[in-house]
Amino acid sequence: MTTPTQNKTSTIRLGVKPLLAMLAATIVTYSITGCSQPPAEQATPAKPDTKAELSAAERHGKPVVYQVFIRLFGNTKTTNKPWGTLEENGVGKFNDFTDEALAGIKALGTSHIWYTGVPHHAVINDYTAFGISLDDPDVVKGRAGSPYAVKDYYSVNPDLAVNPAQRLAEFKALIERTHRHDMQVLIDIVPNHVARDYQSLAKPDGVTDFGTKDDSTVEYARNNNFYYVPGKAFAVPQWPDNYQVLGGEPHPLADGQFSENPAKWTGNGARAAQPAFDDWYETVKINYGVRPDGSYDFDSLPSEYAEKDWQAHYQFWQDKDVPDSWLKFRDITLYWLDFGVDGFRYDMAEMVPVEFWSYLNSHIKQVNPNAFLLAEVYQPDLYRDYIKLGLMDYLYDKVEFYDSLKLVMQGSGPTSALVETQQRMADIEQHMLHFLENHDEQRIASPDFAGDARKGMPAMVVSALISTSPTMLYFGQDVGEPGAQQAGFGQPTRTSIFDYIGVPHHQRWMNGGKFDGGALSKDEAALRDFYVRLMQFSATAPALMGEYYQLHTANLANNTAYSEQQLAFARYTHPQQQDAQQLIVVSNFNAEQASEFELILPSELISEWQLADGSHDLAGQLGEGAAELQVTNGVGRVTIALPPLGSVVYRVQFYQE
């Protein structure tokens, strides 16, 4: 989903979310709250995993998450007709992730694949032959539908299966293939809202759908799954003059009507029976026991639990009575863990109370202590609560690091902002996932972002190497996909998440299913090679799980050729460690001019690295050749020569006594 903090006017899920309403805030916040015994209707949770929890070192270094939109990844059709049907524009399938495709993903250093669009969400395609009800285009965004309007949490999107009747088996086979390639599987959980017409065909025995037992005569009840507008029927939004459902194509259900009486609150917290077009009108908000005035109808989590482990959180909830929605999402996540999924990406986690996350994530860790839990949170003042109290492994570092880095890439922000951000986030930086692209953000090569995929090269070096944080790549980023297609619902610059469409640059890497990059241009192939080298290094270099030392301030003050368009830092493990490694990283964000200067390494760092006066060989780690570090009177200097948008990563090779 898109971020509420981007300062732009937008329609919901066209790319940029508006600021959250007050209610939502209260209800949560290139050179390179647990439970007592569950009620009878709830499925029995999966049995606890017997394997021990892994340490950070045992997780094979820095995680690399590869986000891929399944619907788009394997699609070879190039028609790209706006509002085109599945037959016209094509659609990717689970089976498109062949061994060759997975090997290509693994080559990017990938440890986790986030398969986006897996849970069965509302779509326009007709699957009534498989017992699936038709979805009303008046409450579906695009022709292929939003992956964040989930219709059945116990099944998968039938579009993605060769045989829709076997869709769960086909996804199970994909999980097994992914595991054979030594990668783990993440899927989305969207706790804040579901599709307006939620109805599960695949739910286990004893499970009831959201809302089945609700008292819809009242706005709020603690164990209601939804909020209601009693006495008023839902009305379809007033469409803008430039919008037509399905692009104006006739459809028997596209009549400006959708039966929902009484109306439910909309997913973003809008309480009107007729939501606005900019509201998340295709979804309804889940009630977690938060009263309409924002007060909580469940046990609060004591503040001291910020310093306690997940086991303590789990025990805290064992004798607590929690709202029904908590139980439903517990059972959903445990179902998918038992199915073979290794973790989750949580959509708009800040719109759900942190106590719920303590409850849910401690139950998940009880089953699989190594589950990978990644959350979308955009309010920096909530970061520490959602990590410490909510037990999130990782959060998007969007508002702090990404936003500052984007300005640097666009030539309108100083690199000092990155240094300041890294310092400000030092206590939680290992929990803050770095990225340059995802399904919500503009493609680097799009004109509204940087207009040139090469401008992502120094940024990627910095983003991937500056901290111990995981790194995320979005499919097509490594070949410069610009997201230029007009797909239907929404505008270009972001690859559409709502419609059937081809992804041209990515399709050239696919090369008709060979997944060998054989159709890439020379520049695209070079970019892909850069990403492969960088990300493999990022995933394996011991220093990147070690210490950080910023070189920017000293060089900005004492080096006339070094400017706010360059960034230098060191990463290292201590000399006495078995995996001792000392790295110097320098990037040039200037797209027009080369940069040459003598980089200064202060005496404090030279002492920490235990380097004596004299010459020390440096080896380039990304194919940039060798260099020499000269230490005089305890201060180090190395000549740096960078082309436009160039980077170097040097490793100290030996020590001269």
Side-chain angles (χ1 to χ4, degrees):
M1 292 184 66
T2 50
T3 69
T5 51
Q6 292 171 297
N7 187 21
K8 296 183 181 180
T9 302
S10 169
T11 54
I12 300 306
R13 304 184 195 273
L14 291 180
V16 187
K17 292 175 186 167
L19 291 171
L20 296 176
M22 181 64 71
L23 171 68
T26 58
I27 286 184
V28 286
T29 73
Y30 164 137
S31 271
I32 117 123
T33 229
C35 70
S36 55
Q37 292 299 313
E41 72 179 53
Q42 300 299 323
T44 302
K47 294 180 179 179
D49 196 319
T50 58
K51 60 187 176 184
E53 185 168 10
L54 299 178
S55 68
E58 291 171 321
R59 291 179 183 273
H60 308 297
K62 278 170 65 85
V64 176
V65 179
Y66 182 90
Q67 183 196 2
V68 55
F69 214 96
I70 301 177
R71 178 201 300 159
L72 305 175
F73 180 84
N75 183 19
T76 58
K77 287 205 173 183
T78 58
T79 308
N80 288 351
K81 172 186 173 182
W83 293 99
T85 66
L86 182 153
E87 293 76 17
E88 291 170 325
N89 282 1
V91 67
K93 305 288 186 179
F94 295 128
N95 289 0
D96 292 324
F97 291 85
T98 61
D99 287 328
E100 292 79 10
L102 290 167
I105 294 171
K106 182 66 175 177
L108 290 162
T110 303
S111 58
H112 297 74
I113 304 183
W114 165 17
Y115 288 112
T116 306
V118 170
H120 183 182
H121 60 80
V123 298
I124 302 302
N125 218 35
D126 185 346
Y127 290 105
T128 54
F130 302 94
I132 300 170
S133 64
L134 289 174
D135 290 304
D136 190 327
D138 289 306
V139 288
V140 176
K141 289 182 176 175
R143 185 180 293 277
S146 168
Y148 299 104
V150 176
K151 176 176 179 171
D152 184 349
Y153 258 117
Y154 290 98
S155 190
V156 298
N157 183 358
D159 276 356
L160 308 181
V162 174
N163 179 0
Q166 296 297 316
R167 56 194 182 276
L168 279 166
E170 290 187 27
F171 180 53
K172 181 73 169 180
L174 174 56
I175 293 175
E176 293 170 352
R177 288 197 304 277
T178 305
H179 287 164
R180 287 200 301 270
H181 284 266
D182 195 27
M183 294 179 288
Q184 297 191 351
V185 171
L186 310 179
I187 65 169
D188 282 289
I189 295 292
V190 189
N192 179 63
H193 48 268
V194 294
R196 292 213 93 95
D197 191 20
Y198 185 95
Q199 47 185 284
S200 176
L201 296 178
K203 59 185 179 291
D205 291 341
V207 171
T208 59
D209 282 346
F210 288 97
T212 299
K213 297 184 177 181
D214 282 8
D215 177 1
S216 62
T217 67
V218 295
E219 182 179 34
Y220 166 83
R222 184 177 186 269
N223 284 316
N224 276 0
N225 300 132
F226 304 129
Y227 299 89
Y228 294 88
V229 188
K232 293 185 178 181
F234 172 81
V236 170
Q238 180 69 43
W239 306 129
D241 292 340
N242 63 349
Y243 176 76
Q244 292 180 295
V245 174
L246 299 182
E249 178 184 313
H251 186 284
L253 296 179
D255 55 3
Q257 305 289 324
F258 178 75
S259 179
E260 179 183 290
N261 193 1
K264 303 179 183 75
W265 286 17
T266 296
N268 61 324
R271 306 185 186 192
Q274 182 180 33
F277 183 61
D278 284 358
D279 288 325
W280 306 349
Y281 63 82
E282 79 280 28
T283 67
V284 292
K285 186 167 181 62
I286 297 292
N287 165 29
Y288 284 90
V290 180
R291 302 181 184 95
D293 64 4
S295 62
Y296 289 173
D297 201 358
F298 49 80
D299 289 278
S300 295
L301 184 67
S303 60
E304 60 264 28
Y305 276 77
E307 306 304 323
K308 296 181 182 290
D309 58 20
W310 64 260
Q311 291 95 335
H313 284 246
Y314 179 80
Q315 289 302 322
F316 175 83
W317 294 111
Q318 292 314 292
D319 62 350
K320 306 297 188 297
D321 178 38
V322 299
D324 183 72
S325 295
W326 295 33
L327 303 173
K328 280 185 163 59
F329 271 100
R330 179 203 64 186
D331 292 343
I332 288 165
T333 54
L334 298 190
Y335 167 85
W336 287 111
L337 289 176
D338 190 53
F339 197 83
V341 168
D342 304 293
F344 306 103
R345 179 267 187 188
Y346 297 130
D347 185 79
M348 289 307 294
E350 67 192 62
M351 297 184 76
V352 177
V354 73
E355 282 86 353
F356 164 74
W357 294 115
S358 167
Y359 170 83
L360 181 68
N361 289 339
S362 63
H363 280 72
I364 288 172
K365 293 291 188 178
Q366 178 72 12
V367 172
N368 181 4
N370 303 309
F372 188 102
L373 306 177
L374 167 64
E376 184 183 33
V377 173
Y378 294 122
Q379 299 182 64
D381 61 331
L382 297 180
Y383 286 172
R384 288 160 183 82
D385 281 352
Y386 277 75
I387 292 167
K388 296 175 181 292
L389 291 170
L391 301 179
M392 298 299 183
D393 293 323
Y394 307 104
L395 305 180
Y396 279 27
D397 202 342
K398 194 278 181 199
V399 175
E400 293 281 359
F401 200 82
Y402 168 87
D403 283 353
S404 296
L405 186 53
K406 184 174 183 178
L407 293 175
V408 174
M409 295 167 69
Q410 294 173 325
S412 58
T415 50
S416 288
L418 304 175
V419 177
E420 294 163 3
T421 296
Q422 180 67 13
Q423 180 178 357
R424 187 165 58 251
M425 307 299 288
D427 63 316
I428 57 170
E429 56 104 33
Q430 70 271 28
H431 297 286
M432 303 304 296
L433 176 128
H434 284 188
F435 62 88
L436 296 185
E437 290 188 355
N438 62 48
H439 68 280
D440 281 324
E441 305 297 341
Q442 295 168 325
R443 293 285 194 173
I444 297 166
S446 70
D448 287 358
F449 187 162
D452 185 342
R454 295 175 303 166
K455 291 185 178 180
M457 296 168 73
M460 200 66 219
V461 169
V462 170
S463 182
L465 304 187
I466 197 170
S467 78
T468 61
S469 67
T471 303
M472 184 166 73
L473 300 174
Y474 191 35
F475 87 106
Q477 178 182 343
D478 56 310
V479 291
E481 175 59 43
Q485 286 66 48
Q486 177 64 64
F489 193 94
Q491 300 299 319
T493 77
R494 299 169 182 83
T495 299
S496 175
I497 69 169
F498 306 110
D499 288 282
Y500 304 111
I501 202 73
V503 186
H505 288 56
H506 170 71
Q507 288 174 325
R508 291 197 283 274
W509 175 71
M510 287 171 55
N511 193 24
K514 296 178 183 178
F515 297 97
D516 61 1
L520 292 173
S521 70
K522 181 179 178 180
D523 287 345
E524 291 163 355
L527 185 66
R528 162 81 182 182
D529 177 67
F530 160 79
Y531 271 92
V532 168
R533 287 184 286 115
L534 172 63
M535 297 316 300
Q536 288 186 355
F537 177 75
S538 169
T540 58
L544 300 182
M545 293 302 290
E547 305 296 328
Y548 159 83
Y549 190 98
Q550 68 99 348
L551 301 172
H552 184 73
T553 303
N555 282 276
L556 200 60
N558 300 294
N559 198 326
T560 58
Y562 182 97
S563 75
E564 289 283 12
Q565 291 186 304
Q566 288 82 47
L567 186 66
F569 55 88
R571 298 298 313 278
Y572 63 98
T573 50
H574 292 281
Q576 63 269 29
Q577 291 184 205
Q578 184 176 3
D579 59 353
Q581 189 179 62
Q582 294 80 39
L583 303 176
I584 301 166
V585 182
V586 193
S587 290
N588 178 24
F589 287 87
N590 193 309
E592 306 296 333
Q593 296 180 353
S595 181
E596 186 170 349
F597 51 87
E598 191 174 64
L599 182 74
I600 300 167
L601 276 64
S603 58
E604 181 183 44
L605 180 62
I606 295 300
S607 175
E608 182 79 358
W609 285 3
Q610 301 178 12
L611 297 181
D613 281 7
S615 179
H616 303 269
D617 287 346
L618 302 175
Q621 302 299 286
L622 301 180
E624 59 271 65
E628 185 179 273
L629 169 64
Q630 187 68 41
V631 178
T632 305
N633 297 325
V635 176
R637 288 176 170 82
V638 56
T639 298
I640 301 293
L642 297 172
L645 302 176
S647 295
V648 291
V649 180
Y650 289 130
R651 177 181 179 178
V652 179
Q653 282 294 86
F654 65 91
Y655 307 98
Q656 181 173 323
E657 302 295 332

